[in-house]
Amino acid sequence: MRIDAERVFSAHDHAACRQATLERAEEIVAVEGLRLTPVRRRTLEILLESHQALGAYEVLDRLVASGFARQPPVAYRALDFLVDHGLAHRIRRLNAFAACMRPGEPHRPAFLICDTCQAVAEAPGTAVADAMLAAAGAVGFEIERMSLEAVGRCPACREARA
Amino acid sequence: MRIDAERVFSAHDHAACRQATLERAEEIVAVEGLRLTPVRRRTLEILLESHQALGAYEVLDRLVASGFARQPPVAYRALDFLVDHGLAHRIRRLNAFAACMRPGEPHRPAFLICDTCQAVAEAPGTAVADAMLAAAGAVGFEIERMSLEAVGRCPACREARA
DNA sequence: CTTGACTTGTTATTTTATAACATATTCATT
DNA sequence: AATGAATATGTTATAAAATAACAAGTCAAG
Ligand SMILES: [Zn+2]
Ligand SMILES: [Zn+2]
Ligand SMILES: [Zn+2]
Ligand SMILES: [Zn+2]
């Protein structure tokens, strides 16, 4: 299985990467009967422009550039929709949002956040999540949601600094 | 080894629990030559009042009640000091802070956050952290810091609801 | 007692997020 | 097509969280 993080952290055809993800997202909304309205679609496109997480107000700035009104709820509502339906993830450490790179596929993302180039990748986090569930289970705690996030240096930035 | 989360999530002598942790914290600042000034000490005491995480402004309110000025930097500076020296942890999902229950002991906390009673416990997160390191290592990412947080229901609240 | 590091006081601002309510659109049902 | 419920958007206002910047005070070492 191809690991997304490998792609994210290296030079790749991002136009294709973005396009493919957008198409998968469109399939999902079709199947689930969701409404990918203009703001929502544009918001997803904005998140897909790079592998960096964007704050709500950065997203808002770009929405404004596309003709939408400069009002926080415009961005937050679109972002909440995307997050609620698995098309984007919220990165708590950054108070920011990133497009999901595997929309529709059940996955347990563990986020790797490069503090040099700000790229955010989803690593396969099943093992991490399992360890978390075990730790919780040991004390009778029932997990509903979890955030697994790590900050550090991606391969490229690591080399650049060395 | 006693698991803190077990204690946190059950009725316990919290006065003793708080006192013991405060004493351990004092030993640490002594050993490390840190200055546990009045605001800092009071801030730690405030965090130790319960096992719930507190937002900076809640802490500030209580500092005001103790005679300190109502200015955000007062709380943030004290909280930052405690976090920097391992006497408190920042809970990103809650934009809040919790006293560290094992100050001075090297540990990898995985936080269990009850969304019913708001209690926050540190579960032993070594296995979780190891899984995270492995996932990162697989793609050449070098981790510096990580947040491992889960939201759900603690044993007590789980029973209460059932 | 002076220097330099650290700590606090204080004002102001920035950044992030939500409440609340009016209007409009969509879509299934009459 | 008309009705009405659900969903989505427009808009104003405010709340909540965090930091910038700089002046003034404290303290211990030399
Ligand atoms: Zn890409
Ligand atoms: Zn990088
Ligand atoms: Zn306790
Ligand atoms: Zn609980």
Side-chain angles (χ1 to χ4, degrees), chain B residues 100-134:
Chain B
C100 173
M101 290 296 118
R102 296 192 161 272
E105 298 176 46
H107 61 304
R108 286 293 203 168
F111 297 101
L112 304 179
I113 306 163
C114 178
D115 62 7
T116 301
C117 70
Q118 277 74 52
V120 173
E122 298 180 37
T126 312
V128 189
D130 286 349
M132 195 79 177
L133 288 166

PDB file of all heavy atoms in Angstrom, chain B residues 100-134:
ATOM      1  N   CYS B 100       0.618  18.523  35.449  1.00  0.00           N
ATOM      2  CA  CYS B 100       1.228  17.228  35.179  1.00  0.00           C
ATOM      3  C   CYS B 100       1.163  16.420  36.457  1.00  0.00           C
ATOM      4  O   CYS B 100       1.457  16.923  37.541  1.00  0.00           O
ATOM      5  CB  CYS B 100       2.685  17.386  34.753  1.00  0.00           C
ATOM      6  SG  CYS B 100       3.533  15.796  34.593  1.00  0.00           S
ATOM      7  N   MET B 101       0.759  15.161  36.343  1.00  0.00           N
ATOM      8  CA  MET B 101       0.613  14.308  37.517  1.00  0.00           C
ATOM      9  C   MET B 101       1.885  13.523  37.827  1.00  0.00           C
ATOM     10  O   MET B 101       1.953  12.818  38.805  1.00  0.00           O
ATOM     11  CB  MET B 101      -0.567  13.342  37.308  1.00  0.00           C
ATOM     12  CG  MET B 101      -1.927  14.022  37.337  1.00  0.00           C
ATOM     13  SD  MET B 101      -2.285  14.751  38.968  1.00  0.00           S
ATOM     14  CE  MET B 101      -2.416  16.479  38.533  1.00  0.00           C
ATOM     15  N   ARG B 102       2.874  13.668  36.958  1.00  0.00           N
ATOM     16  CA  ARG B 102       4.138  12.958  37.182  1.00  0.00           C
ATOM     17  C   ARG B 102       5.303  13.895  36.922  1.00  0.00           C
ATOM     18  O   ARG B 102       6.203  13.568  36.132  1.00  0.00           O
ATOM     19  CB  ARG B 102       4.252  11.755  36.233  1.00  0.00           C
ATOM     20  CG  ARG B 102       3.201  10.701  36.468  1.00  0.00           C
ATOM     21  CD  ARG B 102       3.547   9.427  35.701  1.00  0.00           C
ATOM     22  NE  ARG B 102       2.825   8.295  36.265  1.00  0.00           N
ATOM     23  CZ  ARG B 102       3.272   7.549  37.265  1.00  0.00           C
ATOM     24  NH1 ARG B 102       4.463   7.783  37.797  1.00  0.00           N
ATOM     25  NH2 ARG B 102       2.558   6.544  37.711  1.00  0.00           N
ATOM     26  N   PRO B 103       5.302  15.035  37.564  1.00  0.00           N
ATOM     27  CA  PRO B 103       6.373  15.991  37.271  1.00  0.00           C
ATOM     28  C   PRO B 103       7.738  15.383  37.565  1.00  0.00           C
ATOM     29  O   PRO B 103       7.907  14.684  38.562  1.00  0.00           O
ATOM     30  CB  PRO B 103       6.065  17.161  38.200  1.00  0.00           C
ATOM     31  CG  PRO B 103       5.257  16.578  39.299  1.00  0.00           C
ATOM     32  CD  PRO B 103       4.437  15.508  38.657  1.00  0.00           C
ATOM     33  N   GLY B 104       8.664  15.630  36.680  1.00  0.00           N
ATOM     34  CA  GLY B 104      10.013  15.146  36.910  1.00  0.00           C
ATOM     35  C   GLY B 104      10.261  13.754  36.403  1.00  0.00           C
ATOM     36  O   GLY B 104      11.383  13.403  36.045  1.00  0.00           O
ATOM     37  N   GLU B 105       9.210  12.937  36.330  1.00  0.00           N
ATOM     38  CA  GLU B 105       9.393  11.590  35.812  1.00  0.00           C
ATOM     39  C   GLU B 105       9.269  11.635  34.299  1.00  0.00           C
ATOM     40  O   GLU B 105       8.302  12.163  33.776  1.00  0.00           O
ATOM     41  CB  GLU B 105       8.309  10.654  36.348  1.00  0.00           C
ATOM     42  CG  GLU B 105       8.324  10.496  37.850  1.00  0.00           C
ATOM     43  CD  GLU B 105       7.157   9.618  38.304  1.00  0.00           C
ATOM     44  OE1 GLU B 105       6.915   8.560  37.707  1.00  0.00           O
ATOM     45  OE2 GLU B 105       6.480  10.015  39.265  1.00  0.00           O
ATOM     46  N   PRO B 106      10.229  11.076  33.596  1.00  0.00           N
ATOM     47  CA  PRO B 106      10.095  11.065  32.140  1.00  0.00           C
ATOM     48  C   PRO B 106       8.873  10.230  31.784  1.00  0.00           C
ATOM     49  O   PRO B 106       8.727   9.102  32.246  1.00  0.00           O
ATOM     50  CB  PRO B 106      11.376  10.381  31.654  1.00  0.00           C
ATOM     51  CG  PRO B 106      12.177  10.044  32.864  1.00  0.00           C
ATOM     52  CD  PRO B 106      11.403  10.367  34.080  1.00  0.00           C
ATOM     53  N   HIS B 107       7.973  10.790  31.028  1.00  0.00           N
ATOM     54  CA  HIS B 107       6.780  10.043  30.642  1.00  0.00           C
ATOM     55  C   HIS B 107       6.252  10.593  29.334  1.00  0.00           C
ATOM     56  O   HIS B 107       6.533  11.716  28.947  1.00  0.00           O
ATOM     57  CB  HIS B 107       5.713  10.103  31.736  1.00  0.00           C
ATOM     58  CG  HIS B 107       5.225  11.491  32.044  1.00  0.00           C
ATOM     59  ND1 HIS B 107       6.076  12.519  32.408  1.00  0.00           N
ATOM     60  CD2 HIS B 107       3.992  12.029  32.030  1.00  0.00           C
ATOM     61  CE1 HIS B 107       5.357  13.616  32.594  1.00  0.00           C
ATOM     62  NE2 HIS B 107       4.097  13.360  32.374  1.00  0.00           N
ATOM     63  N   ARG B 108       5.503   9.791  28.669  1.00  0.00           N
ATOM     64  CA  ARG B 108       4.930  10.114  27.373  1.00  0.00           C
ATOM     65  C   ARG B 108       3.434  10.152  27.536  1.00  0.00           C
ATOM     66  O   ARG B 108       2.769   9.141  27.313  1.00  0.00           O
ATOM     67  CB  ARG B 108       5.259   8.993  26.390  1.00  0.00           C
ATOM     68  CG  ARG B 108       6.676   8.967  25.933  1.00  0.00           C
ATOM     69  CD  ARG B 108       6.932  10.171  25.115  1.00  0.00           C
ATOM     70  NE  ARG B 108       8.053   9.982  24.201  1.00  0.00           N
ATOM     71  CZ  ARG B 108       8.310  10.840  23.228  1.00  0.00           C
ATOM     72  NH1 ARG B 108       7.558  11.912  23.077  1.00  0.00           N
ATOM     73  NH2 ARG B 108       9.325  10.642  22.438  1.00  0.00           N
ATOM     74  N   PRO B 109       2.877  11.256  27.942  1.00  0.00           N
ATOM     75  CA  PRO B 109       1.460  11.229  28.259  1.00  0.00           C
ATOM     76  C   PRO B 109       0.570  11.122  27.033  1.00  0.00           C
ATOM     77  O   PRO B 109       0.797  11.764  26.014  1.00  0.00           O
ATOM     78  CB  PRO B 109       1.241  12.559  28.969  1.00  0.00           C
ATOM     79  CG  PRO B 109       2.339  13.438  28.500  1.00  0.00           C
ATOM     80  CD  PRO B 109       3.494  12.565  28.149  1.00  0.00           C
ATOM     81  N   ALA B 110      -0.423  10.257  27.154  1.00  0.00           N
ATOM     82  CA  ALA B 110      -1.500  10.199  26.170  1.00  0.00           C
ATOM     83  C   ALA B 110      -2.714  10.649  26.976  1.00  0.00           C
ATOM     84  O   ALA B 110      -3.035  10.061  28.009  1.00  0.00           O
ATOM     85  CB  ALA B 110      -1.685   8.786  25.655  1.00  0.00           C
ATOM     86  N   PHE B 111      -3.359  11.704  26.529  1.00  0.00           N
ATOM     87  CA  PHE B 111      -4.426  12.280  27.329  1.00  0.00           C
ATOM     88  C   PHE B 111      -5.791  11.699  27.018  1.00  0.00           C
ATOM     89  O   PHE B 111      -6.175  11.566  25.851  1.00  0.00           O
ATOM     90  CB  PHE B 111      -4.447  13.793  27.165  1.00  0.00           C
ATOM     91  CG  PHE B 111      -3.197  14.444  27.648  1.00  0.00           C
ATOM     92  CD1 PHE B 111      -2.220  14.852  26.756  1.00  0.00           C
ATOM     93  CD2 PHE B 111      -2.962  14.603  29.007  1.00  0.00           C
ATOM     94  CE1 PHE B 111      -1.039  15.424  27.209  1.00  0.00           C
ATOM     95  CE2 PHE B 111      -1.788  15.173  29.466  1.00  0.00           C
ATOM     96  CZ  PHE B 111      -0.812  15.579  28.570  1.00  0.00           C
ATOM     97  N   LEU B 112      -6.494  11.364  28.087  1.00  0.00           N
ATOM     98  CA  LEU B 112      -7.853  10.860  27.961  1.00  0.00           C
ATOM     99  C   LEU B 112      -8.777  11.930  28.520  1.00  0.00           C
ATOM    100  O   LEU B 112      -8.686  12.285  29.694  1.00  0.00           O
ATOM    101  CB  LEU B 112      -8.003   9.555  28.753  1.00  0.00           C
ATOM    102  CG  LEU B 112      -7.014   8.446  28.373  1.00  0.00           C
ATOM    103  CD1 LEU B 112      -7.244   7.216  29.236  1.00  0.00           C
ATOM    104  CD2 LEU B 112      -7.127   8.098  26.892  1.00  0.00           C
ATOM    105  N   ILE B 113      -9.624  12.456  27.668  1.00  0.00           N
ATOM    106  CA  ILE B 113     -10.467  13.586  28.023  1.00  0.00           C
ATOM    107  C   ILE B 113     -11.930  13.167  28.046  1.00  0.00           C
ATOM    108  O   ILE B 113     -12.491  12.814  27.005  1.00  0.00           O
ATOM    109  CB  ILE B 113     -10.312  14.709  26.962  1.00  0.00           C
ATOM    110  CG1 ILE B 113      -8.829  15.073  26.796  1.00  0.00           C
ATOM    111  CG2 ILE B 113     -11.158  15.912  27.329  1.00  0.00           C
ATOM    112  CD1 ILE B 113      -8.543  15.850  25.506  1.00  0.00           C
ATOM    113  N   CYS B 114     -12.549  13.214  29.206  1.00  0.00           N
ATOM    114  CA  CYS B 114     -13.968  12.833  29.295  1.00  0.00           C
ATOM    115  C   CYS B 114     -14.826  14.015  28.878  1.00  0.00           C
ATOM    116  O   CYS B 114     -14.736  15.087  29.467  1.00  0.00           O
ATOM    117  CB  CYS B 114     -14.335  12.403  30.712  1.00  0.00           C
ATOM    118  SG  CYS B 114     -16.081  11.986  30.843  1.00  0.00           S
ATOM    119  N   ASP B 115     -15.662  13.786  27.858  1.00  0.00           N
ATOM    120  CA  ASP B 115     -16.457  14.910  27.366  1.00  0.00           C
ATOM    121  C   ASP B 115     -17.733  15.086  28.184  1.00  0.00           C
ATOM    122  O   ASP B 115     -18.558  15.933  27.877  1.00  0.00           O
ATOM    123  CB  ASP B 115     -16.746  14.790  25.870  1.00  0.00           C
ATOM    124  CG  ASP B 115     -17.555  13.559  25.531  1.00  0.00           C
ATOM    125  OD1 ASP B 115     -18.003  12.856  26.462  1.00  0.00           O
ATOM    126  OD2 ASP B 115     -17.742  13.293  24.342  1.00  0.00           O
ATOM    127  N   THR B 116     -17.888  14.269  29.215  1.00  0.00           N
ATOM    128  CA  THR B 116     -19.053  14.421  30.077  1.00  0.00           C
ATOM    129  C   THR B 116     -18.667  15.165  31.359  1.00  0.00           C
ATOM    130  O   THR B 116     -19.269  16.175  31.698  1.00  0.00           O
ATOM    131  CB  THR B 116     -19.656  13.045  30.412  1.00  0.00           C
ATOM    132  OG1 THR B 116     -20.012  12.403  29.181  1.00  0.00           O
ATOM    133  CG2 THR B 116     -20.876  13.186  31.299  1.00  0.00           C
ATOM    134  N   CYS B 117     -17.633  14.682  32.033  1.00  0.00           N
ATOM    135  CA  CYS B 117     -17.254  15.326  33.291  1.00  0.00           C
ATOM    136  C   CYS B 117     -16.004  16.187  33.132  1.00  0.00           C
ATOM    137  O   CYS B 117     -15.554  16.815  34.095  1.00  0.00           O
ATOM    138  CB  CYS B 117     -17.031  14.301  34.399  1.00  0.00           C
ATOM    139  SG  CYS B 117     -15.564  13.283  34.176  1.00  0.00           S
ATOM    140  N   GLN B 118     -15.460  16.231  31.922  1.00  0.00           N
ATOM    141  CA  GLN B 118     -14.315  17.096  31.617  1.00  0.00           C
ATOM    142  C   GLN B 118     -13.021  16.713  32.331  1.00  0.00           C
ATOM    143  O   GLN B 118     -12.062  17.492  32.322  1.00  0.00           O
ATOM    144  CB  GLN B 118     -14.625  18.570  31.903  1.00  0.00           C
ATOM    145  CG  GLN B 118     -15.359  19.252  30.778  1.00  0.00           C
ATOM    146  CD  GLN B 118     -16.819  18.816  30.728  1.00  0.00           C
ATOM    147  OE1 GLN B 118     -17.523  18.867  31.723  1.00  0.00           O
ATOM    148  NE2 GLN B 118     -17.265  18.357  29.576  1.00  0.00           N
ATOM    149  N   ALA B 119     -12.995  15.546  32.939  1.00  0.00           N
ATOM    150  CA  ALA B 119     -11.753  15.133  33.587  1.00  0.00           C
ATOM    151  C   ALA B 119     -10.713  14.799  32.516  1.00  0.00           C
ATOM    152  O   ALA B 119     -11.049  14.319  31.434  1.00  0.00           O
ATOM    153  CB  ALA B 119     -11.999  13.919  34.468  1.00  0.00           C
ATOM    154  N   VAL B 120      -9.474  15.076  32.824  1.00  0.00           N
ATOM    155  CA  VAL B 120      -8.389  14.761  31.908  1.00  0.00           C
ATOM    156  C   VAL B 120      -7.375  13.897  32.644  1.00  0.00           C
ATOM    157  O   VAL B 120      -6.913  14.277  33.721  1.00  0.00           O
ATOM    158  CB  VAL B 120      -7.688  16.039  31.416  1.00  0.00           C
ATOM    159  CG1 VAL B 120      -6.448  15.697  30.610  1.00  0.00           C
ATOM    160  CG2 VAL B 120      -8.636  16.885  30.587  1.00  0.00           C
ATOM    161  N   ALA B 121      -7.065  12.761  32.085  1.00  0.00           N
ATOM    162  CA  ALA B 121      -6.077  11.891  32.720  1.00  0.00           C
ATOM    163  C   ALA B 121      -4.932  11.612  31.770  1.00  0.00           C
ATOM    164  O   ALA B 121      -5.103  11.630  30.551  1.00  0.00           O
ATOM    165  CB  ALA B 121      -6.735  10.583  33.123  1.00  0.00           C
ATOM    166  N   GLU B 122      -3.780  11.391  32.341  1.00  0.00           N
ATOM    167  CA  GLU B 122      -2.624  11.008  31.541  1.00  0.00           C
ATOM    168  C   GLU B 122      -2.523   9.494  31.566  1.00  0.00           C
ATOM    169  O   GLU B 122      -2.289   8.905  32.617  1.00  0.00           O
ATOM    170  CB  GLU B 122      -1.335  11.574  32.155  1.00  0.00           C
ATOM    171  CG  GLU B 122      -1.285  13.080  32.217  1.00  0.00           C
ATOM    172  CD  GLU B 122       0.021  13.596  32.838  1.00  0.00           C
ATOM    173  OE1 GLU B 122       1.077  12.987  32.597  1.00  0.00           O
ATOM    174  OE2 GLU B 122      -0.051  14.597  33.569  1.00  0.00           O
ATOM    175  N   ALA B 123      -2.685   8.888  30.409  1.00  0.00           N
ATOM    176  CA  ALA B 123      -2.485   7.449  30.342  1.00  0.00           C
ATOM    177  C   ALA B 123      -1.037   7.220  29.939  1.00  0.00           C
ATOM    178  O   ALA B 123      -0.422   8.071  29.309  1.00  0.00           O
ATOM    179  CB  ALA B 123      -3.427   6.826  29.326  1.00  0.00           C
ATOM    180  N   PRO B 124      -0.486   6.068  30.312  1.00  0.00           N
ATOM    181  CA  PRO B 124       0.886   5.787  29.905  1.00  0.00           C
ATOM    182  C   PRO B 124       0.923   5.661  28.381  1.00  0.00           C
ATOM    183  O   PRO B 124       0.301   4.768  27.818  1.00  0.00           O
ATOM    184  CB  PRO B 124       1.213   4.462  30.583  1.00  0.00           C
ATOM    185  CG  PRO B 124      -0.027   3.994  31.236  1.00  0.00           C
ATOM    186  CD  PRO B 124      -1.096   5.003  31.093  1.00  0.00           C
ATOM    187  N   GLY B 125       1.640   6.556  27.736  1.00  0.00           N
ATOM    188  CA  GLY B 125       1.559   6.612  26.284  1.00  0.00           C
ATOM    189  C   GLY B 125       2.806   6.150  25.570  1.00  0.00           C
ATOM    190  O   GLY B 125       2.992   6.456  24.386  1.00  0.00           O
ATOM    191  N   THR B 126       3.625   5.414  26.267  1.00  0.00           N
ATOM    192  CA  THR B 126       4.874   4.986  25.639  1.00  0.00           C
ATOM    193  C   THR B 126       4.627   4.160  24.376  1.00  0.00           C
ATOM    194  O   THR B 126       5.238   4.411  23.331  1.00  0.00           O
ATOM    195  CB  THR B 126       5.718   4.163  26.632  1.00  0.00           C
ATOM    196  OG1 THR B 126       5.765   4.876  27.861  1.00  0.00           O
ATOM    197  CG2 THR B 126       7.129   3.992  26.098  1.00  0.00           C
ATOM    198  N   ALA B 127       3.712   3.224  24.484  1.00  0.00           N
ATOM    199  CA  ALA B 127       3.425   2.374  23.323  1.00  0.00           C
ATOM    200  C   ALA B 127       2.849   3.207  22.187  1.00  0.00           C
ATOM    201  O   ALA B 127       3.180   3.003  21.012  1.00  0.00           O
ATOM    202  CB  ALA B 127       2.441   1.265  23.713  1.00  0.00           C
ATOM    203  N   VAL B 128       2.005   4.172  22.544  1.00  0.00           N
ATOM    204  CA  VAL B 128       1.409   5.028  21.526  1.00  0.00           C
ATOM    205  C   VAL B 128       2.500   5.846  20.840  1.00  0.00           C
ATOM    206  O   VAL B 128       2.564   5.934  19.611  1.00  0.00           O
ATOM    207  CB  VAL B 128       0.362   5.984  22.152  1.00  0.00           C
ATOM    208  CG1 VAL B 128      -0.401   6.704  21.064  1.00  0.00           C
ATOM    209  CG2 VAL B 128      -0.591   5.228  23.076  1.00  0.00           C
ATOM    210  N   ALA B 129       3.356   6.432  21.671  1.00  0.00           N
ATOM    211  CA  ALA B 129       4.438   7.254  21.124  1.00  0.00           C
ATOM    212  C   ALA B 129       5.360   6.413  20.243  1.00  0.00           C
ATOM    213  O   ALA B 129       5.797   6.862  19.180  1.00  0.00           O
ATOM    214  CB  ALA B 129       5.226   7.893  22.269  1.00  0.00           C
ATOM    215  N   ASP B 130       5.639   5.180  20.681  1.00  0.00           N
ATOM    216  CA  ASP B 130       6.503   4.314  19.879  1.00  0.00           C
ATOM    217  C   ASP B 130       5.879   4.041  18.514  1.00  0.00           C
ATOM    218  O   ASP B 130       6.567   4.065  17.490  1.00  0.00           O
ATOM    219  CB  ASP B 130       6.763   2.996  20.611  1.00  0.00           C
ATOM    220  CG  ASP B 130       7.740   3.191  21.770  1.00  0.00           C
ATOM    221  OD1 ASP B 130       8.355   4.273  21.850  1.00  0.00           O
ATOM    222  OD2 ASP B 130       7.881   2.268  22.594  1.00  0.00           O
ATOM    223  N   ALA B 131       4.580   3.797  18.513  1.00  0.00           N
ATOM    224  CA  ALA B 131       3.895   3.528  17.244  1.00  0.00           C
ATOM    225  C   ALA B 131       3.977   4.760  16.354  1.00  0.00           C
ATOM    226  O   ALA B 131       4.172   4.665  15.136  1.00  0.00           O
ATOM    227  CB  ALA B 131       2.441   3.142  17.503  1.00  0.00           C
ATOM    228  N   MET B 132       3.853   5.911  16.981  1.00  0.00           N
ATOM    229  CA  MET B 132       3.919   7.166  16.239  1.00  0.00           C
ATOM    230  C   MET B 132       5.324   7.340  15.659  1.00  0.00           C
ATOM    231  O   MET B 132       5.474   7.704  14.488  1.00  0.00           O
ATOM    232  CB  MET B 132       3.610   8.310  17.208  1.00  0.00           C
ATOM    233  CG  MET B 132       3.296   9.613  16.555  1.00  0.00           C
ATOM    234  SD  MET B 132       1.602   9.680  15.946  1.00  0.00           S
ATOM    235  CE  MET B 132       1.547  11.355  15.334  1.00  0.00           C
ATOM    236  N   LEU B 133       6.328   7.087  16.468  1.00  0.00           N
ATOM    237  CA  LEU B 133       7.704   7.209  15.995  1.00  0.00           C
ATOM    238  C   LEU B 133       7.963   6.254  14.837  1.00  0.00           C
ATOM    239  O   LEU B 133       8.643   6.603  13.865  1.00  0.00           O
ATOM    240  CB  LEU B 133       8.678   6.924  17.150  1.00  0.00           C
ATOM    241  CG  LEU B 133       8.749   8.020  18.215  1.00  0.00           C
ATOM    242  CD1 LEU B 133       9.460   7.521  19.468  1.00  0.00           C
ATOM    243  CD2 LEU B 133       9.453   9.265  17.665  1.00  0.00           C
ATOM    244  N   ALA B 134       7.389   5.063  14.940  1.00  0.00           N
ATOM    245  CA  ALA B 134       7.576   4.083  13.870  1.00  0.00           C
ATOM    246  C   ALA B 134       6.914   4.568  12.582  1.00  0.00           C
ATOM    247  O   ALA B 134       7.513   4.516  11.500  1.00  0.00           O
ATOM    248  CB  ALA B 134       6.992   2.728  14.294  1.00  0.00           C
TER     249      ALA B 134
END
